[in-house]
Amino acid sequence: MDLTVTIAGVKFPACFMNASGAVCVTHEELSALGRSRSGAIVTKSMTVEARQGNPLPRYYGFSGGSINSMGLPNLGYRMYAELIPQLKQFGKPVIASVAGLCEDDFPAIARAINEAGPDLIEVNLSCPNIPGKPQIGYDAEASERLMKRVRPLITVPMGVKLPPYFDPAHHQLMGEAIGHCGVDFLNLINSVGNALVVDPNEEAVVIKPKGGFGGLGGAIIKPIALANVRAFYKHFKGTMPIIGTGGVVSGLDAFEHLLCGASAVQVGTALVEEGVEVFARLEKELAACLERKGYKSAEECRGRLKEL
Ligand code: SIN
């Protein structure tokens, strides 16, 4: 079964890859992704300076999903700029994920990381876990301003990673902003921010930062992820490549993302829980599912969701 995909002109050997944030901070973790069957190596979202992130515990897995408030622990963009040429030797696309603690950080990082030669750059407009910093992706004007600042600095395909939206008016507003900025691909969605998981036995929250508030991931968010993939797929009439992220635990979950319009999928919670072996399992499951349904490739079923 052909599970290769092309996004913004870049060929991926498989349509599964890690979500930024899931075991992709250190050189060792990124190299393990390089050796695995992940179709790409996606770095942790990088900031100007290295960060330890939020206090522990900051990740909690439960049946059906996970909650995290990592707080962008990362090595700082200078270190990722050094690592990128080594990571490219694994022979699969390297996606550099760029974040920032204020708007001015993004262009500074984008310029430098672009020079390091990643295959694509993903601009993260949606980290929900920095205390006191709202998600830029919920402000269409600020997002447009930022995308317009970084776009001219980037010579490889540039994508944006967005938070989940819950109203068609917001899909429309962000879709229009994105349409003005020369964006080459979308990544939908980041975790569902500022959720709260309660342990009734302990009568307590399960993570320490922000009073227990954090981003929800895993199976529980799949319908929200699918809705966002579908809404933006339709907004751009199928012309905007989309990486679907959220709730991919099985090959069937990936198939649903593809049907909604995703070209590829990223794996977060399942990767954290299962390790890099998850990619081989997902490939096998998706291939069997596509075969059963008579498709010849992952590309072939993209966007083919039937409406009633
Ligand atoms: C985090 O580091 O807190 C998660 C990053 C993100 O959600 O973008």
Side-chain angles (χ1 to χ4, degrees):
M1 180 60 62
D2 180 6
L3 298 184
T4 63
V5 290
T6 300
I7 294 174
V10 178
K11 181 124 190 202
F12 290 68
C15 63
F16 293 99
M17 68 195 82
N18 68 296
S20 175
V23 288
C24 58
V25 174
T26 64
H27 189 189
E28 292 70 30
E29 289 171 342
L30 291 162
S31 300
L33 288 165
R35 289 189 296 273
S36 78
R37 293 199 63 87
S38 179
I41 305 172
V42 187
T43 71
K44 175 69 184 169
S45 294
M46 58 194 78
T47 50
V48 173
E49 302 301 337
R51 286 173 57 84
Q52 293 293 321
N54 290 339
L56 303 174
R58 57 192 187 186
Y59 173 91
Y60 179 82
F62 54 92
S63 110
S66 67
I67 185 167
N68 88 82
S69 181
M70 306 303 287
L72 293 175
N74 77 96
L75 306 178
Y77 80 86
R78 294 174 190 85
M79 186 58 82
Y80 292 110
E82 268 180 41
L83 289 178
I84 282 170
Q86 296 172 47
L87 297 175
K88 287 186 74 165
Q89 289 172 10
F90 287 104
K92 57 177 86 170
V94 174
I95 304 182
S97 177
V98 171
L101 301 181
C102 66
E103 271 187 47
D104 286 345
D105 288 352
F106 285 82
I109 301 172
R111 182 184 281 112
I113 210 70
N114 183 66
E115 273 173 24
D119 298 279
L120 307 95
I121 291 180
E122 168 182 294
V123 180
N124 184 353
L125 301 180
S126 49
C127 177
N129 299 330
I130 305 298
K133 306 273 183 199
Q135 293 163 81
I136 301 166
Y138 283 136
D139 180 338
E141 271 179 32
S143 298
E144 182 164 342
R145 197 167 57 235
L146 196 142
M147 289 185 282
K148 282 184 170 157
R149 281 184 74 186
V150 295
R151 177 65 278 191
L153 308 173
I154 294 177
T155 56
V156 298
M158 181 191 98
V160 286
K161 184 166 183 181
L162 299 175
Y165 300 98
F166 299 93
D167 193 287
H170 296 156
H171 294 127
Q172 178 68 22
L173 209 61
M174 270 311 281
E176 283 170 11
I178 289 161
H180 298 152
C181 299
V183 171
D184 299 300
F185 69 96
L186 302 181
N187 184 345
L188 306 161
I189 56 174
N190 208 322
S191 59
V192 177
N194 297 296
L196 188 62
V197 172
V198 169
D199 179 343
N201 294 323
E202 295 297 327
E203 304 178 20
V205 300
V206 296
I207 54 172
K208 185 173 174 68
K210 291 179 70 177
F213 284 60
L216 214 50
I220 196 169
I221 71 164
K222 186 177 71 175
I224 300 169
L226 294 178
N228 277 272
V229 169
R230 189 67 182 165
F232 282 99
Y233 178 81
K234 289 176 79 166
H235 179 92
F236 289 103
K237 301 190 170 42
T239 60
M240 176 69 81
I242 293 174
I243 300 176
T245 305
V248 177
V249 179
S250 69
L252 204 57
D253 298 324
F255 179 61
E256 292 176 19
H257 270 274
L258 301 178
L259 283 178
C260 288
S263 296
V265 295
Q266 292 188 349
V267 186
T269 301
L271 170 58
V272 172
E273 298 293 334
E274 238 177 283
V276 292
E277 289 73 27
V278 73
F279 295 113
R281 176 178 68 76
L282 290 171
E283 266 188 42
K284 210 163 124 207
E285 290 175 3
L286 178 61
C289 166
L290 292 173
E291 186 138 1
R292 217 169 40 242
K293 287 173 169 291
Y295 289 107
K296 301 225 166 355
S297 68
E299 295 265 18
E300 200 187 339
C301 64
R302 186 169 74 91
R304 288 226 193 163
L305 186 70
K306 296 181 195 131
E307 295 184 9
L308 306 178

